[in-house]
Amino acid sequence: RTAILIYYAILASLLLVSLIAMPFLSTGGSFFASANGVTAVTVVFAFILSLCAFKDSFLMNLQQGISRRSQFLARLGAMGVVCAVMAVADEVYTLLLAGLHMAFPDSFLSHSLYGMIYGDNSGFAILLSIIFSFFLLLAVCSLGYLVTVFMYRLNKLGKIIFWVGTPFVCILFLSHIVTHMYGKLAVFLGNIVQLCFGTLPRMAMTCTLVTALFSALTWLLMRRAAVK
């Protein structure tokens, strides 16, 4: 909770600093502040937050007699609540920047990540943006929790191999995709992305399935996790 409050306090502070600096910076030239797709930043923050959310609480709860199953279910509930809160907070921040854009059209600009991807400007765009952010954050948090539980189960050598090998494989894979932009693999992945994320309902269903899969794998790792 404290980390989330600090994160949004930083976003609010950046906005406040922009407002304070605007009269001084705009006198000598143009001043422009953009916060498009703030949810993309929140996704990175949520993933890092999930990586730090297992070992200490797991060991402390075991000492207090709380079972692994109870911890796992409590974690799922807390993850859902946190993702919902961050999705709403992101939209409030985006709307605040949009309001400043109306007052200072040449100085501020903000669009939600949902609006940037799907180009939706309908009357329900705010609600749909919150739904989009919620399911996206849910999938990312479940991935982060799976990674941290998996790392807990690995020994020191396994952790080194994982953290060295994973970035290396990702770099090789991305470089191949960029080099062969119109190759069969790139076209296949593009079709998969379009199929899974082409519309909001499909995106929500995909993220739900991904969350269920990652959560099931997390439980398989967690139910036999030893005390270290």
Side-chain angles (χ1 to χ4, degrees):
R1 183 179 63 182
T2 302
I4 295 175
L5 292 176
I6 293 175
Y7 170 71
Y8 285 105
I10 292 174
L11 291 181
S13 300
L14 291 175
L15 178 60
L16 183 60
V17 169
S18 299
L19 287 172
I20 295 175
M22 184 175 65
F24 304 99
L25 296 179
S26 59
T27 55
S30 60
F31 172 81
F32 186 75
S34 174
N36 290 327
V38 67
T39 300
V41 181
T42 305
V43 163
V44 177
F45 169 75
F47 179 73
I48 296 174
L49 194 65
S50 298
L51 292 177
C52 307
F54 176 71
K55 183 176 180 179
D56 293 338
S57 61
F58 174 70
L59 297 178
M60 182 180 65
N61 289 330
L62 284 181
Q63 292 177 354
Q64 295 177 354
I66 302 176
S67 66
R68 290 169 173 78
R69 181 176 180 273
S70 297
Q71 291 189 55
F72 175 73
L73 295 176
R75 169 63 187 177
L76 289 181
M79 186 171 64
V81 172
V82 168
C83 290
V85 170
M86 289 195 294
V88 173
D90 281 355
E91 192 61 26
V92 170
Y93 185 79
T94 301
L95 291 175
L96 184 60
L97 265 294
L100 290 175
H101 172 70
M102 297 178 64
F104 308 99
D106 297 328
S107 299
F108 291 94
L109 180 64
S110 179
H111 296 288
S112 66
L113 184 61
Y114 166 78
M116 295 173 63
I117 293 176
Y118 295 102
D120 187 0
N121 296 315
S122 64
F124 298 99
I126 295 175
L127 177 60
L128 296 177
S129 177
I130 293 175
I131 294 174
F132 168 84
S133 299
F134 169 75
F135 282 103
L136 180 60
L137 289 169
L138 198 64
V140 170
C141 285
S142 63
L143 173 60
Y145 199 58
L146 172 61
V147 171
T148 192
V149 175
F150 180 66
M151 292 299 298
Y152 179 81
R153 293 291 304 271
L154 290 177
N155 56 26
K156 183 176 294 186
L157 178 61
K159 293 177 181 179
I160 294 175
I161 294 174
F162 178 83
W163 287 117
V164 173
T166 301
F168 180 73
V169 172
C170 290
I171 291 173
L172 288 179
F173 179 76
L174 291 176
S175 63
H176 175 79
I177 295 298
V178 172
T179 306
H180 305 83
M181 188 66 68
Y182 299 100
K184 292 183 178 180
L185 180 59
V187 173
F188 173 75
L189 292 177
N191 292 333
I192 293 295
V193 171
Q194 181 64 30
L195 177 64
C196 296
F197 301 97
T199 63
L200 181 59
R202 282 186 285 178
M203 177 267 180
M205 184 178 298
T206 300
C207 289
T208 301
L209 293 175
V210 168
T211 300
L213 174 62
F214 288 162
S215 298
L217 294 175
T218 300
W219 169 243
L220 292 177
L221 293 171
M222 184 176 175
R223 65 194 295 264
R224 296 186 180 277
V227 176
K228 296 182 180 181

PDB file of all heavy atoms in Angstrom, residues 139 195-197 201-211:
ATOM      1  N   ALA A 139      -3.154  -9.339 -15.319  1.00  0.00           N
ATOM      2  CA  ALA A 139      -2.292 -10.316 -15.981  1.00  0.00           C
ATOM      3  C   ALA A 139      -0.823 -10.067 -15.638  1.00  0.00           C
ATOM      4  O   ALA A 139      -0.063 -11.012 -15.385  1.00  0.00           O
ATOM      5  CB  ALA A 139      -2.505 -10.251 -17.491  1.00  0.00           C
ATOM      6  N   LEU A 195      -5.648 -11.413 -32.844  1.00  0.00           N
ATOM      7  CA  LEU A 195      -6.725 -12.304 -32.425  1.00  0.00           C
ATOM      8  C   LEU A 195      -7.050 -12.142 -30.944  1.00  0.00           C
ATOM      9  O   LEU A 195      -8.225 -12.123 -30.557  1.00  0.00           O
ATOM     10  CB  LEU A 195      -6.334 -13.757 -32.722  1.00  0.00           C
ATOM     11  CG  LEU A 195      -7.326 -14.843 -32.267  1.00  0.00           C
ATOM     12  CD1 LEU A 195      -8.643 -14.712 -33.014  1.00  0.00           C
ATOM     13  CD2 LEU A 195      -6.718 -16.229 -32.452  1.00  0.00           C
ATOM     14  N   CYS A 196      -6.007 -12.022 -30.136  1.00  0.00           N
ATOM     15  CA  CYS A 196      -6.206 -11.975 -28.683  1.00  0.00           C
ATOM     16  C   CYS A 196      -6.529 -10.582 -28.157  1.00  0.00           C
ATOM     17  O   CYS A 196      -7.227 -10.448 -27.135  1.00  0.00           O
ATOM     18  CB  CYS A 196      -4.956 -12.504 -27.976  1.00  0.00           C
ATOM     19  SG  CYS A 196      -4.606 -14.235 -28.304  1.00  0.00           S
ATOM     20  N   PHE A 197      -6.037  -9.550 -28.821  1.00  0.00           N
ATOM     21  CA  PHE A 197      -6.174  -8.194 -28.294  1.00  0.00           C
ATOM     22  C   PHE A 197      -6.834  -7.234 -29.274  1.00  0.00           C
ATOM     23  O   PHE A 197      -6.812  -6.018 -29.057  1.00  0.00           O
ATOM     24  CB  PHE A 197      -4.794  -7.642 -27.914  1.00  0.00           C
ATOM     25  CG  PHE A 197      -4.082  -8.456 -26.882  1.00  0.00           C
ATOM     26  CD1 PHE A 197      -3.133  -9.400 -27.263  1.00  0.00           C
ATOM     27  CD2 PHE A 197      -4.353  -8.304 -25.536  1.00  0.00           C
ATOM     28  CE1 PHE A 197      -2.466 -10.165 -26.325  1.00  0.00           C
ATOM     29  CE2 PHE A 197      -3.696  -9.064 -24.583  1.00  0.00           C
ATOM     30  CZ  PHE A 197      -2.753 -10.000 -24.979  1.00  0.00           C
ATOM     31  N   PRO A 201     -13.290  -6.975 -25.518  1.00  0.00           N
ATOM     32  CA  PRO A 201     -13.751  -8.254 -24.959  1.00  0.00           C
ATOM     33  C   PRO A 201     -12.739  -9.376 -25.125  1.00  0.00           C
ATOM     34  O   PRO A 201     -12.512 -10.167 -24.195  1.00  0.00           O
ATOM     35  CB  PRO A 201     -15.044  -8.531 -25.747  1.00  0.00           C
ATOM     36  CG  PRO A 201     -15.529  -7.190 -26.159  1.00  0.00           C
ATOM     37  CD  PRO A 201     -14.294  -6.403 -26.450  1.00  0.00           C
ATOM     38  N   ARG A 202     -12.091  -9.437 -26.301  1.00  0.00           N
ATOM     39  CA  ARG A 202     -11.086 -10.478 -26.503  1.00  0.00           C
ATOM     40  C   ARG A 202      -9.860 -10.236 -25.634  1.00  0.00           C
ATOM     41  O   ARG A 202      -9.234 -11.185 -25.125  1.00  0.00           O
ATOM     42  CB  ARG A 202     -10.692 -10.550 -27.976  1.00  0.00           C
ATOM     43  CG  ARG A 202     -11.707 -11.272 -28.852  1.00  0.00           C
ATOM     44  CD  ARG A 202     -11.202 -11.452 -30.261  1.00  0.00           C
ATOM     45  NE  ARG A 202     -11.260 -10.203 -31.013  1.00  0.00           N
ATOM     46  CZ  ARG A 202     -10.836 -10.060 -32.263  1.00  0.00           C
ATOM     47  NH1 ARG A 202     -10.300 -11.099 -32.899  1.00  0.00           N
ATOM     48  NH2 ARG A 202     -10.931  -8.913 -32.887  1.00  0.00           N
ATOM     49  N   MET A 203      -9.500  -8.980 -25.464  1.00  0.00           N
ATOM     50  CA  MET A 203      -8.375  -8.649 -24.594  1.00  0.00           C
ATOM     51  C   MET A 203      -8.673  -9.046 -23.148  1.00  0.00           C
ATOM     52  O   MET A 203      -7.817  -9.628 -22.455  1.00  0.00           O
ATOM     53  CB  MET A 203      -8.089  -7.141 -24.694  1.00  0.00           C
ATOM     54  CG  MET A 203      -6.993  -6.648 -23.783  1.00  0.00           C
ATOM     55  SD  MET A 203      -7.640  -6.053 -22.205  1.00  0.00           S
ATOM     56  CE  MET A 203      -6.131  -5.569 -21.399  1.00  0.00           C
ATOM     57  N   ALA A 204      -9.886  -8.750 -22.676  1.00  0.00           N
ATOM     58  CA  ALA A 204     -10.271  -9.103 -21.308  1.00  0.00           C
ATOM     59  C   ALA A 204     -10.276 -10.617 -21.115  1.00  0.00           C
ATOM     60  O   ALA A 204      -9.809 -11.123 -20.082  1.00  0.00           O
ATOM     61  CB  ALA A 204     -11.639  -8.517 -20.984  1.00  0.00           C
ATOM     62  N   MET A 205     -10.781 -11.339 -22.104  1.00  0.00           N
ATOM     63  CA  MET A 205     -10.811 -12.798 -22.012  1.00  0.00           C
ATOM     64  C   MET A 205      -9.399 -13.375 -22.016  1.00  0.00           C
ATOM     65  O   MET A 205      -9.085 -14.292 -21.245  1.00  0.00           O
ATOM     66  CB  MET A 205     -11.623 -13.384 -23.169  1.00  0.00           C
ATOM     67  CG  MET A 205     -11.798 -14.891 -23.111  1.00  0.00           C
ATOM     68  SD  MET A 205     -12.809 -15.521 -24.479  1.00  0.00           S
ATOM     69  CE  MET A 205     -14.358 -14.666 -24.144  1.00  0.00           C
ATOM     70  N   THR A 206      -8.543 -12.823 -22.869  1.00  0.00           N
ATOM     71  CA  THR A 206      -7.156 -13.291 -22.932  1.00  0.00           C
ATOM     72  C   THR A 206      -6.433 -13.059 -21.618  1.00  0.00           C
ATOM     73  O   THR A 206      -5.742 -13.952 -21.094  1.00  0.00           O
ATOM     74  CB  THR A 206      -6.405 -12.583 -24.067  1.00  0.00           C
ATOM     75  OG1 THR A 206      -7.044 -12.872 -25.313  1.00  0.00           O
ATOM     76  CG2 THR A 206      -4.958 -13.039 -24.124  1.00  0.00           C
ATOM     77  N   CYS A 207      -6.579 -11.870 -21.059  1.00  0.00           N
ATOM     78  CA  CYS A 207      -5.920 -11.552 -19.787  1.00  0.00           C
ATOM     79  C   CYS A 207      -6.465 -12.409 -18.650  1.00  0.00           C
ATOM     80  O   CYS A 207      -5.718 -12.802 -17.751  1.00  0.00           O
ATOM     81  CB  CYS A 207      -6.096 -10.066 -19.465  1.00  0.00           C
ATOM     82  SG  CYS A 207      -5.129  -8.960 -20.521  1.00  0.00           S
ATOM     83  N   THR A 208      -7.759 -12.706 -18.695  1.00  0.00           N
ATOM     84  CA  THR A 208      -8.348 -13.578 -17.672  1.00  0.00           C
ATOM     85  C   THR A 208      -7.761 -14.984 -17.752  1.00  0.00           C
ATOM     86  O   THR A 208      -7.407 -15.584 -16.728  1.00  0.00           O
ATOM     87  CB  THR A 208      -9.871 -13.639 -17.838  1.00  0.00           C
ATOM     88  OG1 THR A 208     -10.419 -12.315 -17.720  1.00  0.00           O
ATOM     89  CG2 THR A 208     -10.495 -14.528 -16.770  1.00  0.00           C
ATOM     90  N   LEU A 209      -7.643 -15.518 -18.966  1.00  0.00           N
ATOM     91  CA  LEU A 209      -7.065 -16.843 -19.144  1.00  0.00           C
ATOM     92  C   LEU A 209      -5.590 -16.867 -18.739  1.00  0.00           C
ATOM     93  O   LEU A 209      -5.124 -17.832 -18.111  1.00  0.00           O
ATOM     94  CB  LEU A 209      -7.219 -17.292 -20.602  1.00  0.00           C
ATOM     95  CG  LEU A 209      -8.651 -17.544 -21.080  1.00  0.00           C
ATOM     96  CD1 LEU A 209      -8.665 -17.869 -22.567  1.00  0.00           C
ATOM     97  CD2 LEU A 209      -9.303 -18.664 -20.279  1.00  0.00           C
ATOM     98  N   VAL A 210      -4.870 -15.809 -19.094  1.00  0.00           N
ATOM     99  CA  VAL A 210      -3.454 -15.714 -18.726  1.00  0.00           C
ATOM    100  C   VAL A 210      -3.311 -15.654 -17.204  1.00  0.00           C
ATOM    101  O   VAL A 210      -2.447 -16.318 -16.612  1.00  0.00           O
ATOM    102  CB  VAL A 210      -2.813 -14.484 -19.386  1.00  0.00           C
ATOM    103  CG1 VAL A 210      -1.432 -14.194 -18.779  1.00  0.00           C
ATOM    104  CG2 VAL A 210      -2.670 -14.704 -20.884  1.00  0.00           C
ATOM    105  N   THR A 211      -4.164 -14.851 -16.570  1.00  0.00           N
ATOM    106  CA  THR A 211      -4.131 -14.747 -15.111  1.00  0.00           C
ATOM    107  C   THR A 211      -4.435 -16.088 -14.457  1.00  0.00           C
ATOM    108  O   THR A 211      -3.776 -16.486 -13.486  1.00  0.00           O
ATOM    109  CB  THR A 211      -5.152 -13.694 -14.635  1.00  0.00           C
ATOM    110  OG1 THR A 211      -4.834 -12.417 -15.212  1.00  0.00           O
ATOM    111  CG2 THR A 211      -5.140 -13.574 -13.113  1.00  0.00           C
TER     112      THR A 211
END
